Amino acid sequence: MLSKSMIEDVLDEACLRGADFAEVYDENTFLQETQLNQEEIEQSLTGRECGVGIRVFKGDSCYYGYTNEKSEGVIQRLTRDLTKSMKDGSMTGDFVKSGSVPGNFRMRDGLFEKKNYTMGKETALASAMPLGRRLEPAKLAIRAGMAYDEEIVRMRVKLTDMEQLVQIANTEGIYVQDQRVKTRLYMTSFAQSGTDLQSGYYGPGAMRGHDYYDRIDVEAAAREASRQAKTILHARECQGGQMSVVVDNGFGGLLFHEACGHSLEATVIARDSSEFCGKLGTQVASDVVTLVDDGSIPNEWGSLHVDDEGMPTQRNVLIEQGILKSYLVDQLNGQRAKLAPTGSARRQNYKYIPTARMTNTYIAPGDHAPEEIIGATEHGLYVRTINGGSVDPATGDFNFSAGECYMIEHGRIGMPVRGVTLIGNGGSVLKKVDMVGNDFDLRQGYCFASSGALFIDAGQPTVRISSMTVGGIG
């Protein structure tokens, strides 16, 4: 990693050349990904990526550049190029509006002493393991998934291990180093009847080392993927319409991640292009809804010790009993919108500018048992898994593809259905949540947006939306 004296020289150089603020982001990442089709290795990737990103602010502009060469000459030249663009007004870097920033100064007192964040002593690094031992959980999953039922014809499993070390310093005196270790097992099961082939998926992961697999039941997770595949294989096509929708706990929380989470990020708030702009302190959801984003939960897949601007992550209550309390805020967009940063700045790697993004986002548990919620639903749809979707943050309009689903008739779960889409508006859906369960769970995923692909958790207890548009064949 870069030395303290070298970082101070870069920050000094930027300030002396007129920058109002400067930041150095130094990264060293080791990644291993191995995909097995049945028990044969189908694809394998092992690599190390190192690089440095330099960010400077001037007035209302942000200039960013990066390099994968860490020599002092290259980094100083990158800094000079950025400040030259800044003075010329040429937009070789990304342009982001901001508000007032610290005045031009030289770092006479230097950086603070570095604060180090590390993983626990029990963390077992996959990079130190022989390949055979590292692949044991994947092979165990394949055998268990294949044994679930005779209609399961194939298992594809990917094992991902990441070890990342980042160093972040800026002209406000922040100087931190964060060790981040992630591991995840992606299990896809395929069920077939005649020419009809359907899949099920389960993907547990954590901010832990390979010791994570001693804490979970890999075989049960694989059987869950196979159960989903077999269920969807024999489901009938969904008849669409307007109806109540009950969303299962866990990754059902992706619905709210997409439907309203992105609209609460300062990335869109600062541009005045969110449906939630100017609504702090007002009621935006039913009073049974509390929405939280918390990047500080120990060992969760979406967690970090510090965000990608060096600020410790924290629990941010976004909506409390229906009242909008906070947004997710990074430094630059916070300055523009006159909001304090919330430890929510994130980026995929040194090639991206950090911006406000979600971490572990969830609906807090309520008072109802899941059976009570289903029993109170005369006619509707029960959604167990959501595959993914998209949202327009400006309007809140969304569209999701659902996986395993069932019709609810007279308070009972009926036949499975497939081909389901969920269509609606984030602000509208929040107000139509009328029952929240007590069976809270978090699940793992990825979020793709302007600062790259990021590991996130989405979660909730069982939730009922009183009325929603369900797309199907009719």
Side-chain angles (χ1 to χ4, degrees):
M1 307 301 282
L2 300 181
S3 68
K4 183 177 182 180
S5 61
M6 186 172 171
I7 293 171
E8 288 179 329
D9 287 346
V10 169
L11 298 178
D12 271 343
E13 180 81 10
C15 289
L16 288 170
R17 289 176 174 269
D20 295 321
F21 169 88
E23 173 193 77
V24 175
Y25 179 88
D26 181 15
E27 175 191 354
N28 188 329
T29 296
F30 179 74
L31 178 69
Q32 296 181 97
E33 289 189 340
T34 307
Q35 183 167 290
L36 285 76
N37 191 346
Q38 299 299 80
E39 293 195 39
E40 297 296 320
I41 295 178
E42 185 175 61
Q43 186 178 7
S44 186
L45 166 71
T46 300
R48 186 174 296 277
E49 187 169 34
C50 303
V52 175
I54 308 294
R55 184 168 60 145
V56 297
F57 299 171
K58 184 65 177 178
D60 287 343
S61 302
C62 168
Y63 298 81
Y64 188 77
Y66 64 86
T67 177
N68 61 5
E69 186 175 339
K70 293 190 177 185
S71 69
E72 184 172 2
V74 169
I75 294 173
Q76 289 286 7
R77 185 164 61 249
L78 173 61
T79 306
R80 289 193 296 271
D81 288 345
L82 287 171
T83 54
K84 182 178 185 299
S85 297
M86 177 186 74
K87 289 179 179 179
D88 294 344
S90 58
M91 296 313 299
T92 55
D94 280 17
F95 177 79
V96 187
K97 289 286 186 181
S98 70
S100 60
V101 289
N104 186 22
F105 64 98
R106 180 177 173 83
M107 292 188 58
R108 299 182 184 88
D109 299 326
L111 295 171
F112 300 142
E113 287 303 309
K114 185 194 295 183
K115 186 165 185 178
N116 290 288
Y117 297 85
T118 59
M119 301 295 296
K121 293 181 180 179
E122 74 281 1
T123 301
L125 299 181
S127 60
M129 293 181 179
L131 179 63
R133 185 183 169 199
R134 180 174 163 265
L135 295 183
E136 285 175 1
K139 292 185 175 181
L140 192 64
I142 289 169
R143 294 173 199 139
M146 289 297 299
Y148 177 78
D149 188 271
E150 61 183 12
E151 288 186 314
I152 304 301
V153 295
R154 182 158 52 95
M155 288 287 295
R156 176 176 288 143
V157 176
K158 183 171 77 170
L159 188 68
T160 294
D161 294 291
M162 185 194 80
E163 299 162 22
Q164 184 187 57
L165 188 65
V166 300
Q167 186 173 226
I168 306 164
N170 66 34
T171 48
E172 294 184 348
I174 283 180
Y175 186 34
V176 299
Q177 182 168 287
D178 189 13
Q179 182 190 29
R180 304 161 177 177
V181 178
K182 304 280 183 176
T183 190
R184 193 172 178 204
L185 193 63
Y186 306 78
M187 293 166 280
T188 305
S189 179
F190 297 88
Q192 186 168 12
S193 177
T195 59
D196 191 4
L197 181 69
Q198 299 294 329
S199 64
Y201 170 80
Y202 199 83
M207 189 168 79
R208 290 187 182 275
H210 215 258
D211 49 287
Y212 174 60
Y213 299 109
D214 297 329
R215 302 169 184 268
I216 65 170
D217 190 335
V218 170
E219 292 175 298
R223 288 191 290 268
E224 171 61 16
S226 292
R227 185 200 62 75
Q228 288 181 27
K230 182 176 173 63
T231 298
I232 297 170
L233 180 69
H234 296 288
R236 60 181 172 84
E237 295 295 322
C238 177
Q239 296 283 339
Q242 197 77 15
M243 65 188 76
S244 296
V245 174
V246 177
V247 185
D248 197 20
N249 68 347
F251 208 55
L254 183 64
L255 174 65
F256 295 97
H257 169 104
E258 293 288 355
C260 59
H262 284 296
S263 299
L264 293 170
E265 294 169 338
T267 315
V268 291
I269 296 296
R271 296 199 301 264
D272 199 27
S273 57
S274 166
E275 61 174 327
F276 296 111
C277 284
K279 294 184 179 179
L280 286 174
T282 67
Q283 185 159 3
V284 297
S286 72
D287 59 11
V288 298
V289 173
T290 294
L291 179 67
V292 178
D293 185 271
D294 188 352
S296 66
I297 304 173
N299 303 119
E300 278 299 333
W301 173 250
S303 293
L304 305 161
H305 300 114
V306 296
D307 75 355
D308 288 322
E309 291 179 332
M311 180 176 177
T313 51
Q314 63 187 36
R315 183 176 187 268
N316 295 301
V317 178
L318 305 175
I319 298 172
E320 185 173 28
Q321 296 180 339
I323 306 299
L324 182 59
K325 294 290 188 177
S326 177
Y327 303 117
L328 296 173
V329 185
D330 62 283
Q331 184 173 7
L332 190 57
N333 287 303
Q335 288 170 176
R336 182 188 180 197
K338 296 180 173 57
L339 297 167
T342 58
S344 306
R346 301 192 64 192
R347 58 175 118 197
Q348 179 178 329
N349 56 41
Y350 70 93
K351 299 176 184 178
Y352 292 83
I353 297 176
T355 194
R357 299 281 296 276
M358 286 173 277
T359 55
N360 306 304
T361 312
Y362 59 88
I363 297 289
D367 300 325
H368 297 284
E371 298 81 8
E372 182 184 357
I373 296 175
I374 293 166
T377 304
E378 181 66 18
H379 170 72
L381 179 75
Y382 178 50
V383 180
R384 285 210 60 176
T385 61
I386 293 176
N387 298 329
S390 61
V391 63
D392 180 349
T395 64
D397 293 336
F398 63 79
N399 190 303
F400 291 96
S401 168
E404 183 185 357
C405 298
Y406 301 81
M407 296 307 301
I408 302 174
E409 298 293 347
H410 309 299
R412 294 186 177 182
I413 294 177
M415 289 292 295
V417 292
R418 68 189 192 190
V420 175
T421 56
L422 303 175
I423 304 163
N425 175 272
S428 175
V429 163
L430 284 171
K431 294 174 181 176
K432 292 180 179 179
V433 175
D434 61 356
M435 299 183 80
V436 177
N438 56 14
D439 56 334
F440 176 78
D441 193 17
L442 276 172
R443 295 290 173 84
Q444 296 72 48
Y446 271 93
C447 178
F448 301 84
S450 60
S451 59
L454 301 176
F455 31 82
I456 57 99
D457 274 16
Q460 63 175 51
T462 300
V463 167
R464 187 176 76 170
I465 301 157
S466 63
S467 180
M468 191 174 180
T469 301
V470 174
I473 62 173

